[in-house]
């Protein structure tokens, strides 16, 4: 059974200042997600499901989706503020403007996923080897398997020169994930990498293994995601900035003994679209990969 790629592309882009999911970075107007789709197809994924906001649908189709869908089976679903909420819950959260987070996004796409699947962000470059590794792994597990996976990256390879980043710092033993601790504000100051937590700066080495939200799950993971989402709503529905985060739900799979997550290490150097200044960096990196022959100058034939 060939795996599905789930792309989380409904973010607001508050730091970027625009709809970065469909911003052009390729030589022929391609978006960063074009290259992810290209790498995923080469890595054995046969279908892509995008999670988007309704307000970007027209631009999303014109600038990305219709092109990708001509080259690989693709669908999209909507994530809204009211998705997966009861009438009473909608009333309780009526003043909220911030999206509910990545677990919510995954659950919005559940009905479109019928095979083991990988999850990625829309604004990160992950590298072809990671897609090939997770694609092969997911193709070899059963839909109800308790064995899941993730691609891990070296922290020092995932920093932005434009500002702080959010990364899940992982503890791994014998190639299996033990825990993930989300660090929402990691930056490099005067050559020293620090994580700002509760007003304190915690120094890091840069060699830490981090999650970039590139996970591979069997369908059984949805059981834990539903539990996590229900618990999140019970405790955080009225909190305007609380988010149901996928790394936390994934970590719960391990903590509860419901399954394991194998960590595949990637040496790829990250680049992505977190800040407006990042766009030129991404364009240079993509152009360099094209000039080296890693990508063809014309990514898609049609």
């Amino acid at each position: 059974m060939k795996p599905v790629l789930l792309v989380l592309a409904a973010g607001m882009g508050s730091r970027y200042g625009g709809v970065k999911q469909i911003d052009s970075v390729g030589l022929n107007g391609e978006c960063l997600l074009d290259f992810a789709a290209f790498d995923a197809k080469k890595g054995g994924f046969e279908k892509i499901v995008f999670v988007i906001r309704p307000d970007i649908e027209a631009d999303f189709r014109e600038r990305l989706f219709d092109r990708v869908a001509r080259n690989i089976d693709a669908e999209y679903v909507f994530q809204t503020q009211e998705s997966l909420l009861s009438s009473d819950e909608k009333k309780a959260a009526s003043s909220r403007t911030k999206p509910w987070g990545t677990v919510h996004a995954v659950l919005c796409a559940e009905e479109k996923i019928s095979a083991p699947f990988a999850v990625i962000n829309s604004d990160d470059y992950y590298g072809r080897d990671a897609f090939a590794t997770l694609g092969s792994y997911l193709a070899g597990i059963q839909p109800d398997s308790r064995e899941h996976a993730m691609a891990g990256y070296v922290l020092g390879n995932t920093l932005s020169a434009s500002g702080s980043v959010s990364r899940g710092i992982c503890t791994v033993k014998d190639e299996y994930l033990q825990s993930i601790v989300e660090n929402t504000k990691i930056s490099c100051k005067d050559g020293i990498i620090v994580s700002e937590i509760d007003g304190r700066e915690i120094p890091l080495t840069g060699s830490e293994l981090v999650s970039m939200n590139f996970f591979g799950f069997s369908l059984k993971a949805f059981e834990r995601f539903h539990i996590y989402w229900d618990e999140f709503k019970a405790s955080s529905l009225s909190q305007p900035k609380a988010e149901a985060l996928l790394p936390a739900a994934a970590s719960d799979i391990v903590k509860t003994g419901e399954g394991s997550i194998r960590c595949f290490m990637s040496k790829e150097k990250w680049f992505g679209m977190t800040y407006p200044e990042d766009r030129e960096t991404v364009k240079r990196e993509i152009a360099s990969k094209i000039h080296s022959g890693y990508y063809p100058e014309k990514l898609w034939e049609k």
Side-chain angles (χ1 to χ4, degrees):
M1 183 177 293
K2 291 189 176 181
V4 175
L5 178 64
L6 177 58
V7 180
L8 309 184
M12 301 295 288
S14 55
R15 287 182 291 184
Y16 188 79
V19 189
K20 56 187 174 180
Q21 301 92 315
I22 50 178
D23 222 346
S24 169
V25 295
L27 299 184
N28 297 291
E30 298 93 346
C31 309
L32 191 57
L33 280 176
D34 278 290
F35 296 93
F38 185 87
D39 288 341
K41 185 176 181 180
K42 280 188 170 294
F45 291 84
E46 70 171 2
K47 178 181 177 180
I48 302 178
V49 178
F50 297 89
V51 181
I52 68 168
R53 304 193 314 269
D55 62 292
I56 70 169
E57 181 183 14
D59 287 340
F60 170 75
R61 290 196 66 108
E62 178 184 350
R63 296 168 64 180
L64 173 73
F65 179 80
D66 290 347
R67 178 174 58 246
V68 170
R70 289 193 294 268
N71 291 274
I72 185 173
D73 183 17
E75 294 185 78
Y76 60 89
V77 299
F78 295 129
Q79 179 187 17
T80 71
Q81 295 298 101
E82 296 189 342
S83 297
L84 310 180
L85 296 180
S86 68
S87 297
D88 288 342
E89 289 168 344
K90 291 174 185 177
K91 292 178 183 178
S94 60
S95 63
R96 184 182 175 102
T97 58
K98 190 177 181 65
W100 290 109
T102 43
V103 170
H104 182 248
V106 170
L107 289 174
C108 286
E110 182 177 7
E111 292 185 358
K112 299 292 185 180
I113 299 174
S114 58
F117 64 102
V119 183
I120 63 168
N121 295 332
S122 63
D123 54 352
D124 293 315
Y125 180 84
Y126 292 98
R128 187 174 301 163
D129 288 347
F131 283 102
T133 298
L134 285 195
S136 176
Y137 181 85
L138 293 172
I141 66 173
Q142 295 299 312
D144 61 349
S145 175
R146 291 163 52 89
E147 300 285 327
H148 312 283
M150 65 170 283
Y153 293 78
V154 177
L155 174 60
N157 288 342
T158 72
L159 301 177
S160 171
S162 305
S164 64
V165 296
S166 178
R167 301 287 182 256
I169 296 182
C170 303
T171 301
V172 175
K173 182 179 180 181
D174 297 329
E175 298 184 345
Y176 280 86
L177 181 71
Q178 304 295 301
S179 66
I180 304 176
V181 178
E182 197 70 15
N183 285 239
T184 59
K185 199 171 183 180
I186 298 177
S187 59
C188 188
K189 298 183 178 181
D190 299 322
I192 300 174
I193 300 173
V194 296
S195 176
E196 187 176 321
I197 301 175
D198 296 331
R200 297 182 301 122
E201 292 186 347
I202 310 299
L204 301 170
T205 67
S207 62
E208 291 85 357
L209 184 71
V210 298
S211 160
M212 296 290 295
N213 244 23
F214 194 175
F215 291 98
F217 298 110
S218 76
L219 298 179
K220 191 170 183 61
F222 279 115
E223 296 176 8
R224 169 48 52 183
F225 298 159
H226 278 288
I227 293 171
Y228 180 91
W229 173 240
D230 288 342
E231 291 176 346
F232 173 86
K233 288 189 296 181
S235 64
S236 306
L237 202 62
S238 61
Q239 297 180 25
K241 294 185 178 181
E243 289 188 77
L245 298 176
L246 187 59
S251 189
D252 280 353
I253 290 175
V254 176
K255 290 178 182 177
T256 59
E258 295 169 0
S260 61
I261 299 178
R262 184 173 177 184
C263 184
F264 293 98
M265 186 71 183
S266 173
K267 296 182 180 179
E268 187 76 41
K269 182 174 174 55
W270 169 89
F271 52 88
M273 307 274 280
T274 305
Y275 298 92
E277 298 83 358
D278 292 334
R279 183 167 181 254
E280 291 306 312
T281 300
V282 171
K283 289 175 69 175
R284 286 195 302 271
E285 293 285 352
I286 291 294
S288 175
K289 288 181 178 294
I290 292 171
H291 294 151
S292 72
Y294 190 82
Y295 292 114
E297 185 169 334
K298 186 177 183 182
L299 196 63
W300 305 112
E301 291 301 318
K302 54 184 178 178

